[in-house]
Amino acid sequence: MGTFSGLIRSFRYGAVALLCNLALAASVGSAAAAETVTVAALGDSLTQGYGLPQEEGFVPRMEAWLRTEGADVSMINAGVSGDTTAGGLSRVDWTLTPEVDAMIVTLGGNDFLRGIDPAVSRENLRGILEAAEAKEVEVLLVGMQSSNNYGPAFKAAFDSMYPELAEEFDVPLYLSFFGGLGMEGDAAGAAQDLMQADGIHPNAAGVALIVEAMGPAVLQLVNSVR
């Protein structure tokens, strides 16, 4: 009888230990899964990967770069070709789903191409940053620079909205999406070899350089979430 009781106690102890181990394993598994940082890239055709095979676009290339740097990251391509800052504002709330930890905002190029008042673009970007702030989502704001097509006042107002908003909301700024292509001054002609035929969108080689240049800023964004 004593032996039988001992067996029962042993069985109960083993069952409890097994359940505890399973619970611990599930907890560890959940913690490991939670370590993956989800980054939404809210933007236009530059983000979406216009004119390129899917795997050569900005978002897949950036995710691959981050992973080679050891980041456990998953990126969401929230780029829509032709989108303006108004379009980004209209869809930011449903882009910021609960699993999104951070967001890259690259908008404004189409505003410039359409000659939209920079004051309007600024308010749209402010709305996007306010939405991210409300949901406690970290943001990297990516700037653009306009040409002088609409005059120096337009250019000054457009170019300044990015650093001023970054300071207002205390978010990091990557000054220019095309910074990695060296499109300033005498290097502008050479940079055309890194663009598609339309002269607006980077080709695969251009995207690779953009990702390499911007990557450290995005990696810093991912690490700030952790």
Side-chain angles (χ1 to χ4, degrees), residues 166-185:
E167 182 177 1
E168 178 182 341
F169 285 88
D170 192 24
V171 299
L173 171 70
Y174 185 77
L175 192 59
S176 174
F177 182 85
F178 293 106
L181 301 187
M183 296 184 71
E184 296 82 16

Side-chain angles (χ1 to χ4, degrees), residues 11-29:
F11 174 78
R12 286 176 177 172
Y13 174 80
V16 170
L18 176 60
L19 289 172
C20 289
N21 288 337
L22 288 173
L24 178 62
S27 175
V28 170

Side-chain angles (χ1 to χ4, degrees), residues 210-223:
I210 289 168
V211 166
E212 185 177 351
M214 193 190 302
V218 182
L219 182 59
Q220 189 171 357
L221 175 71
V222 171
N223 289 336

Side-chain angles (χ1 to χ4, degrees), residues 2-226:
T3 301
F4 180 74
S5 298
L7 287 173
I8 292 296
R9 285 194 298 272
S10 177
F11 174 78
R12 286 176 177 172
Y13 174 80
V16 170
L18 176 60
L19 289 172
C20 289
N21 288 337
L22 288 173
L24 178 62
S27 175
V28 170
S30 297
E35 289 177 0
T36 299
V37 176
T38 300
V39 180
L42 183 70
D44 50 31
S45 55
L46 297 174
T47 299
Q48 181 264 332
Y50 175 88
L52 296 170
Q54 182 177 351
E55 66 277 7
E56 297 293 337
F58 171 77
V59 173
R61 293 294 292 269
M62 181 60 77
E63 182 177 291
W65 187 93
L66 292 168
R67 288 185 175 275
T68 63
E69 295 297 311
D72 185 359
V73 62
S74 174
M75 291 195 64
I76 298 172
N77 192 339
V80 173
S81 186
D83 218 0
T84 61
T85 55
L89 177 59
S90 71
R91 57 194 177 86
V92 66
D93 282 332
W94 55 262
T95 297
L96 293 175
T97 53
E99 69 270 17
V100 173
D101 302 300
M103 180 170 63
I104 304 170
V105 178
T106 307
L107 286 164
N110 288 311
D111 294 53
F112 158 66
L113 291 174
R114 300 180 188 184
I116 295 172
D117 184 347
V120 174
S121 302
R122 180 188 290 259
E123 287 308 304
N124 291 333
L125 288 173
R126 178 177 282 112
I128 291 170
L129 294 173
E130 287 173 343
E133 185 176 66
K135 295 192 177 184
E136 299 183 343
V137 170
E138 301 289 337
V139 173
L140 173 65
L141 182 61
V142 179
M144 295 276 176
Q145 284 74 46
S146 75
S147 69
N148 286 308
N149 290 19
Y150 301 107
F154 183 101
K155 178 173 175 56
F158 184 92
D159 293 358
S160 65
M161 67 183 176
Y162 296 100
E164 289 174 1
L165 285 170
E167 182 177 1
E168 178 182 341
F169 285 88
D170 192 24
V171 299
L173 171 70
Y174 185 77
L175 192 59
S176 174
F177 182 85
F178 293 106
L181 301 187
M183 296 184 71
E184 296 82 16
D186 295 337
Q192 293 307 307
D193 293 338
L194 301 171
M195 304 295 285
Q196 296 181 42
D198 60 12
I200 297 174
H201 300 93
N203 57 26
V207 169
L209 290 177
I210 289 168
V211 166
E212 185 177 351
M214 193 190 302
V218 182
L219 182 59
Q220 189 171 357
L221 175 71
V222 171
N223 289 336
S224 73
V225 173
R226 291 177 175 168

